[in-house]
Structures are given as structure tokens and as C-alpha cells.
Amino acid sequence: VRLAESGGGLVESGGSLRLSCGASGDIAFLNAMGWYRQAPGKEREFVARITSFGRTDYADFVKSRFIISHDIVMRTVSLQMDNLKPEDTAVYYCTYGVGADVSSWGQGTQVTVSA
């Protein structure tokens, strides 16, 4: 499965960004797509996930600021990020897999939040 992200950029603290990711290839009926992020000098961490049935999971630090959604027909997943903070600055990676297991990663898109 190949993934392609878009939508990153530079935004001021308190602003919003929307990330999108398109999947192509052999997509399983039961799958999960989501987002991880990696800030400079830190390990990659889970952000959010949505299953093909629409179940969502979020990292605690999301605190209702981020919303993940998907379009099954278009094979896309999006992450609406509101009230962004400087600590949200990171490279955001789209993921594909089954449950919590990730089998494919996107190339990443940079999100930078200025103070």
C-alpha cells in the first residue's frame, strides 16, 4: 500500500491545519489508517487512528483538538488539527495497517507551529 500526504505547513499558535492522505494499492477490507508524528530529537509517537468501520482512537495529548476522518470510497484519511500549539511541531506520517499494527508509512509532511 502506498500513501501520499498533503496539507502540512506553517501556522501560528492557536491556528488550524488539515492533513490529508491518499492510499493506493491492495487495500484490505478490514484496515486502519492513521497518523503518527515525530518531533526533532524525539521518538515517533501515535497521534490518531480510524478503522474501516469508523472506530477512532486518539493520543491523550490530542484532547479533542484533533479529529480524524476518512472516505472509504476515495481511500483517504484526514486529520483536522485545531488550536495548534508549538509542541505540535513535527513531521506527520500517514499510516496504514490492521488494528494497531502499521504496515505502510507515508513520506511525511512537516507541520510547524510558531509561538
Side-chain angles (χ1 to χ4, degrees), residues 85 87 109 112 114:
K85 305 175 182 179
E87 52 263 42
T109 185
T112 302
S114 62

Side-chain angles (χ1 to χ4, degrees), residues 11 18 42 47 57 59 64 67 69 71 73 76 94-96 98 115:
V11 65
R18 184 177 180 87
K42 296 187 177 181
V47 176
D57 293 298
S64 300
I67 297 176
S69 60
D71 185 322
V73 174
T76 60
C94 179
T95 63
Y96 167 90
V98 178

Side-chain angles (χ1 to χ4, degrees), residues 70-115:
H70 64 172
D71 185 322
I72 295 295
V73 174
M74 298 302 294
R75 297 181 172 184
T76 60
V77 63
S78 297
L79 186 68
Q80 177 65 40
M81 305 185 293
D82 297 322
N83 191 21
L84 284 162
K85 305 175 182 179
E87 52 263 42
D88 294 318
T89 294
V91 177
Y92 284 71
Y93 296 90
C94 179
T95 63
Y96 167 90
V98 178
D101 295 327
V102 176
S103 57
S104 297
W105 295 84
Q107 79 283 359
T109 185
Q110 177 70 46
V111 171
T112 302
V113 184
S114 62

Side-chain angles (χ1 to χ4, degrees), residues 13 32 41 44 58 68 91 97:
S13 181
R44 193 171 295 188
Y58 294 95
I68 191 169
V91 177

